[in-house]
Amino acid sequence: IQELLDQNQIYRQEVVHSENICIDALLSYKHAETIQKKIKAEYEVSVIPELPFERGDLCVILGNLLDNAKCNEIRMEKEQIQYNKGCILIVIENACNDKFINYDHDRYLTTKSDKAEHGIGLESVRYTVEKYHGTVEIEKKESIFKVTVFMYAK
């Protein structure tokens, strides 16, 4: 019982205090996974309590990007979320190993064996960002995989 209580306590730690309930809750929940996987994570968040974006859309974007960042053997990631004058910038950066990068024309492909259940995360992010006339930029430089999202309020 104590082990279950300890595991539950990990998910209750609030690691970000931006006053935006959606972002704080999602980052805190995902941070628990970084603890369990022994990933070093850094957060830089500067937002207002009520963002002009649908909460569900923010969850799709952040959830998918954070899940992707945790899918490799190398244990470092950095999250930056900033809001200013109707625009939001989200940058998720993680160390990566080339064996985890599959690229086909203009898309990154999943490296997971169960391809039917995986591989739609970045496409979901792109689709959601387009609703706000935003951009998604994906970069792979040396051992760093970086996704930058920029969106405008409707």
Side-chain angles (χ1 to χ4, degrees), residues 17-117:
H17 307 284
S18 71
E19 297 184 24
N20 181 283
I21 294 169
C22 177
I23 289 175
D24 290 353
L26 189 56
L27 287 178
S28 295
Y29 180 80
K30 295 297 183 181
H31 183 72
E33 293 176 5
T34 65
I35 291 170
Q36 291 177 332
K37 293 182 177 185
K38 296 179 174 58
I39 297 172
K40 180 184 178 216
E42 298 175 15
Y43 307 94
E44 180 184 327
V45 180
S46 176
V47 296
I48 58 176
E50 289 299 320
L51 291 169
F53 307 100
E54 291 180 34
R55 287 182 180 172
D57 291 341
L58 287 173
C59 288
V60 165
I61 294 165
L62 281 174
N64 278 298
L65 295 180
L66 292 171
D67 284 347
N68 287 347
K70 290 166 187 41
C71 286
N72 64 63
E73 294 175 346
I74 301 172
R75 306 298 184 200
M76 183 283 295
E77 66 182 57
K78 183 177 178 182
E79 287 88 28
Q80 174 187 359
I81 305 168
Q82 295 181 340
Y83 176 81
N84 191 13
K85 298 180 182 176
C87 299
I88 192 165
L89 172 71
I90 301 170
V91 180
I92 309 292
E93 201 173 292
N94 61 281
C96 66
N97 186 327
D98 282 338
K99 75 178 186 176
F100 290 102
I101 305 295
N102 249 344
Y103 190 76
D104 181 36
H105 296 85
D106 64 340
R107 293 177 22 143
Y108 285 90
L109 305 174
T110 186
T111 56
K112 296 182 179 112
S113 57
D114 186 3
K115 305 230 184 297
E117 295 294 318

Side-chain angles (χ1 to χ4, degrees), residues 117-151:
E117 295 294 318
H118 298 282
I120 61 169
L122 287 175
E123 290 305 312
S124 297
V125 169
R126 279 193 174 110
Y127 175 79
T128 305
V129 169
E130 285 175 5
K131 288 172 56 175
Y132 298 94
H133 307 288
T135 59
V136 177
E137 182 179 302
I138 301 171
E139 300 174 73
K140 162 63 174 78
K141 290 185 181 174
E142 296 177 18
S143 63
I144 301 293
F145 190 80
K146 179 179 174 182
V147 180
T148 302
V149 170
F150 190 79
M151 293 190 312

